[in-house]
Amino acid sequence: FDLPLMKNKALCKEYYPLHQREDLEWLRDNWAMSKMNTKQPISKIRDYFGEKLALYFAWLTFYTEWLLFPFIIGVPVFALLMWRFYANRDEIHLEAGSWEGGTKTVIVDEYIYVYFIFLLFLIFWSICLTIFWERREKRLALVWGTLGIKKIEPPRPDFQGELLRNPVTEKMERFFPPGKRKKKLLVSYSVLLTILGLVIVTVFAIFWLKFYVKNKSLFIGNQLVLVNFLFSIMNAVQIHLFNFIYGKLAVKFTNWENHRLQSEYEGSLIYKNFAFKVVNSYNSFFYIAFLKERIECSDANLTDDETCKNIAFELVVQLVSIFVIQLVMNMVEVTIPFMTQRMAIRAESKKLEKMQKESPEKKFRDKLCYAEAQAKLADDTGTLNEYLELTIQYGFMLLFCVAFPLAPLLAMLSNLFEIRVDSVKLCYLTQRPEPERADSIGNWLTLMKVITIIGKTRNFQVAVR
C-alpha cells in the first residue's frame, strides 16, 4: 500500500511506525536521560531510527568534540587579550592616522600577531574538520552497508500533474511542465528577496536607533552598557522571529512549487532556508565588523565616541545574545511538543468521559492503548532546522570567533544541550520517525565547505579590527 498517497487522499487518517518498548526504554535510560556527554550510541540510534537520523547525531557529536580544539587555543588568547585591555592598557602605543580628511587615533597593537595566529588556526581547523568528517561518514556508511547507495524514489504523494503515458515504461505517470515550475520558482525567490530586504531595513533601523540614543547622550555609564545589551537582544530576537516567519513561508512556497521527488523538494527547501538565514543571521555582524566604523565614525569629531572604539566588544555582545536566545529556543522546542501531547491526551480523556456519561449502559476504556497514545505524540519534524542551526553556528565560529575566542565554549554548551533536547524529543515527545537510509549528510557538507571558503578571506578582515 502507498500509505503517504492514501493519507494525502484522505483514505487513512494517520500512519506511523510504533515505538518498541524494550528498545525505546534502553535509549531513554542510556541516551536521553544518561549523563550529559558527547559520546552517543550511534549504532543503537541507527538500528532504531535509521541511518539518516544516526548521521545527524554522528555529525553533531563529531562537530561538538572538534570544538574542543579552538576552545583550548581560545582560552589563552582570550586571557592575553583581557590582560592587554586592562592590566597593560597604559603601555599601548598610539599614533596619528587619517580618516577621510580628518584625524583619528590608531592603536598600534604589539599583540596583533596573536590574532593572526588564532585566525590561521581557525582556517586550518575548519579545513581539517570537513576533511575528517568526510572520512568519518564514509567509514560509517561502509560499516552500515550504505556506501554509494542510490535510492530509487517514487513521486511525492503531493505531486500534482497531468496523467500521461511514459513512452519508456508504458505506465501512466503524472507530468508537470518545467516551464510552470520555473515561473513558480521565480515567484518564490522574489518573495525571498523581498523579505531579505525587509530584514536588512530592520537591522539598519535597530542600529540607527542605537546610534541615535548614544549620540543624544540619553544614557551614560552603566546605563549605556545595559542599553547596548538590550539592543543586542532586540537584534537576536528579530533574527529568530524572521527565521520563524520565513521558515513557514518557505515550506508553503516549496509545496506550491510542486516538486516531483522528495530529494528535489528537500534540496529546494534547504537552499531557500540557508540563503535566508545566512543573510538574516550574519548581516548585523558584518555591519559591526566592516561597516560600522565607516558609517558611524565618518565624522572626525566622532573618533573618540564609544561606539567607534568597541567594535570587538559589540561583536562579543552580539554573539553572546545569539547563544542565549538559542538556548531559550531549545527550551521552547521541548516545551511545545510536551504541551501539545498533554493537551491531546486530556482532550481524548474528556471525550471518553462524556461518551460514558451519555451511554452509561456501555463500558468504555478509561485510557488509551499503547498505539493510540502514540497517535497523540507530535509528528517528527525532521532534521532540517537542526542542521540549519549547526551550519549557521559553524559560520559564527569561523567568521567571528577571532573577535571572541571563548565562543567555542558557548557553542559546545549549546550543542550538548541540543543533543539532550533532540534525544528527549525523539524518545518521549514525538512519534517514531520512518527510518531512512543514507550514506552522508548530503547538501549540508557542501554548504559548510562554502562557509569555510568564505571564512578564509573574512577572518583576516575581522582580525585587523
Side-chain angles (χ1 to χ4, degrees), residues 76-120:
V77 172
F78 182 77
L80 180 61
L81 296 180
M82 291 299 99
W83 174 77
R84 163 203 157 203
F85 279 121
Y86 294 101
N88 202 33
R89 202 170 197 175
D90 297 333
E91 298 179 12
I92 296 177
H93 175 62
L94 301 179
E95 67 177 18
S98 62
W99 180 267
E100 297 185 358
T103 60
K104 63 174 287 188
T105 299
V106 180
I107 296 179
V108 179
D109 190 356
E110 62 268 35
Y111 301 111
I112 193 67
Y113 68 89
V114 175
Y115 280 108
F116 285 100
I117 292 174
F118 188 50
L119 73 86
L120 288 174

Side-chain angles (χ1 to χ4, degrees), residues 369-383:
C369 69
Y370 187 66
E372 290 171 333
Q374 292 186 43
K376 305 304 177 184
L377 298 174
D379 292 333
D380 177 66
T381 56
T383 56

Side-chain angles (χ1 to χ4, degrees), residues 418-435:
E418 181 74 32
I419 291 173
R420 179 54 53 90
V421 167
D422 291 341
S423 60
V424 168
K425 277 174 55 183
L426 286 168
C427 292
Y428 287 93
L429 303 176
T430 65
Q431 295 174 357
R432 183 180 180 183
E434 289 189 66

Side-chain angles (χ1 to χ4, degrees), residues 136-153:
R136 167 71 169 159
E137 70 176 7
K138 289 292 190 294
R139 185 162 62 249
L140 288 173
L142 183 63
V143 171
W144 295 341
T146 60
L147 186 63
I149 187 173
K150 300 295 183 183
K151 187 166 65 172
I152 300 175
E153 296 184 79

Side-chain angles (χ1 to χ4, degrees), residues 115-320:
Y115 280 108
F116 285 100
I117 292 174
F118 188 50
L119 73 86
L120 288 174
F121 167 78
L122 287 174
I123 293 172
F124 177 74
W125 169 80
S126 64
I127 294 172
C128 291
L129 175 71
T130 54
I131 292 174
F132 278 88
W133 167 249
E134 285 187 280
R135 295 177 61 183
R136 167 71 169 159
E137 70 176 7
K138 289 292 190 294
R139 185 162 62 249
L140 288 173
L142 183 63
V143 171
W144 295 341
T146 60
L147 186 63
I149 187 173
K150 300 295 183 183
K151 187 166 65 172
I152 300 175
E153 296 184 79
R156 295 174 58 243
D158 294 328
F159 176 65
Q160 303 293 327
E162 184 181 359
L163 203 59
L164 300 174
R165 187 177 300 277
N166 188 320
V168 178
T169 63
E170 295 295 326
K171 294 182 178 179
M172 299 299 291
E173 297 180 2
R174 295 195 178 276
F175 173 78
F176 188 75
K180 288 186 178 181
R181 181 172 292 112
K182 289 180 181 178
K183 292 179 181 178
K184 291 189 174 187
L185 287 171
L186 181 62
V187 173
S188 295
Y189 284 99
S190 297
V191 173
L192 167 64
L193 292 175
T194 302
I195 299 179
L196 282 179
L198 182 60
V199 167
I200 294 173
V201 169
T202 302
V203 170
F204 273 91
I206 290 175
F207 280 103
W208 178 87
L209 181 60
K210 182 178 179 181
F211 176 70
Y212 175 82
V213 169
K214 289 184 176 181
N215 196 37
K216 293 296 183 180
S217 300
L218 300 178
F219 301 93
I220 58 174
N222 293 332
Q223 294 177 340
L224 195 58
V225 175
L226 179 60
V227 169
N228 283 336
F229 186 72
L230 289 177
F231 275 109
S232 298
I233 291 293
M234 284 175 57
N235 183 59
V237 169
Q238 73 84 17
I239 288 174
H240 286 280
L241 179 62
F242 275 109
N243 283 347
F244 175 79
I245 293 172
Y246 184 75
K248 298 294 184 182
L249 288 175
V251 172
K252 290 184 179 296
F253 275 104
T254 307
N255 289 334
W256 179 65
E257 290 166 7
N258 195 30
H259 293 279
R260 181 175 181 271
L261 301 178
Q262 184 65 25
S263 58
E264 296 173 352
Y265 175 86
E266 291 179 356
S268 178
L269 190 59
I270 286 171
Y271 288 123
K272 277 201 284 287
N273 275 284
F274 178 77
F276 177 82
K277 292 192 177 183
V278 161
V279 175
N280 188 30
S281 300
Y282 298 156
N283 63 60
S284 60
F285 290 85
F286 274 97
Y287 173 81
I288 294 171
F290 307 117
L291 299 177
K292 178 182 174 65
E293 185 177 6
R294 184 171 296 275
I295 293 175
E296 297 186 14
C297 306
S298 57
D299 190 340
N301 295 326
L302 297 178
T303 54
D304 291 330
D305 190 85
E306 200 66 25
T307 60
C308 306
K309 293 182 177 180
N310 294 322
I311 290 177
F313 176 74
E314 280 205 55
L315 286 173
V316 171
V317 174
Q318 290 285 343
L319 279 171
V320 172

